[in-house]
Amino acid sequence: MTAEEFLPDRLSMRDLERAAQDCKGCRLHANATQTVFGEGLKRSLIMLVGEQPGDREDIDGRPFVGPAGRLLDRGLKEAGITRNDVYLTNIVKHFKHERVGKRRIHKKPNADEIMACRPWLDAEMSVVGPEVLVLLGATVAKALLGPAFKVTQMRGRSIASDFAPNVTATVHPSSILRARDGDTRAREFGRFVDDLHFAAELMS
Ligand code: URA
Ligand code: SF4
């Protein structure tokens, strides 16, 4: 099963978002609060793709509003991009997690779930038609560009792909939050901003 059969006839952003609320294209909907669809400028020049909603996003119903989102906002700002200027989404629209006591711990989506959810992302890409597509993290980059793609080697440069005139990849903001100490975190954040800066330059 995939999300395909839940797609509306008309691919407008409003219809897509509404239809996605009822998606049962994979099992992830059963354990989550709600679908977290993309948001932002409909005809944005720049579109960023994350992995999947986290705990906060699942509750609020909006992408990147938790700790990783705050770091992303900060990174965008330092790179001269405002959140209002981008379209922001995830490759998987429901929060996958495991309960450990009271906490809900994020679990990586598997290849089947990513494939099942893909029609939503494809529809978002066709509506937005971004000039620049920014892939956040290895899971997303590999899903879209193939399993051999290495973010660590290919980050912060242009990648030839049919998804958009310009495609680029960087690390996922959550990986920066997990850095082992403050110095590493600061350094990794700096590199993240450099990559976003590169993406901003691709727009002009
Ligand atoms: N991490 C993601 O990849 N997406 C979100 O929306 C939040 C955290
Ligand atoms: Fe549908 Fe995607 Fe949610 Fe699976 S994760 S139920 S495919 S919206």
Side-chain angles (χ1 to χ4, degrees):
M1 220 173 43
T2 81
E4 194 67 52
E5 64 180 278
F6 297 92
L7 255 66
D9 295 334
R10 213 169 47 114
L11 296 189
S12 76
M13 205 52 103
R14 190 189 294 188
D15 288 357
L16 282 168
E17 185 167 8
R18 197 175 297 151
Q21 293 306 321
D22 299 322
C23 183
K24 296 179 175 57
C26 76
R27 294 158 60 110
L28 294 183
H29 71 91
N31 255 333
T33 309
Q34 58 191 321
T35 303
V36 178
F37 207 68
E39 72 173 25
L41 259 194
K42 282 182 196 63
R43 299 243 180 265
S44 180
L45 290 175
I46 179 161
M47 174 165 170
L48 293 98
V49 185
E51 189 184 294
Q52 63 165 338
D55 183 78
R56 191 72 242 166
E57 289 79 13
D58 173 72
I59 294 164
D60 285 4
R62 296 180 53 207
F64 285 106
V65 289
R70 281 196 293 277
L71 191 131
L72 175 62
D73 284 349
R74 212 154 49 81
L76 288 171
K77 201 166 164 204
E78 286 204 21
I81 308 168
T82 51
R83 183 160 164 150
N84 292 342
D85 290 334
V86 308
Y87 185 84
L88 197 51
T89 192
N90 287 299
I91 200 165
V92 166
K93 309 298 197 239
H94 274 108
F95 176 39
K96 182 178 183 183
H97 59 278
E98 202 171 59
R99 266 192 193 279
V100 179
K102 281 202 173 138
R103 294 184 60 209
R104 303 192 300 170
I105 309 293
H106 156 276
K107 282 186 77 181
K108 248 189 201 320
N110 64 34
D112 286 347
E113 290 151 355
I114 290 173
M115 192 193 64
C117 210
R118 185 59 188 278
W120 296 119
L121 180 69
D122 288 343
E124 288 173 291
M125 286 198 283
S126 80
V127 173
V128 176
E131 194 66 31
V132 183
L133 184 71
V134 183
L135 309 177
L136 300 172
T139 306
V140 175
K142 282 176 190 286
L144 292 178
L145 302 171
F149 186 84
K150 286 211 167 25
V151 170
T152 45
Q153 286 167 19
M154 298 292 284
R155 66 186 291 181
R157 44 173 139 154
S158 270
I159 302 152
S161 146
D162 292 338
F163 289 119
N166 297 285
V167 177
T168 186
T170 184
V171 295
H172 194 284
S174 303
S175 71
I176 302 168
L177 294 174
R178 287 194 304 266
R180 64 177 171 278
D181 55 54
D183 283 353
T184 314
R185 197 170 309 122
R187 193 171 59 241
E188 285 306 314
F189 181 70
R191 293 187 68 198
F192 182 59
V193 171
D194 289 346
D195 292 350
L196 293 175
H197 214 248
F198 176 76
E201 281 177 351
L202 290 172
M203 276 193 289
S204 38

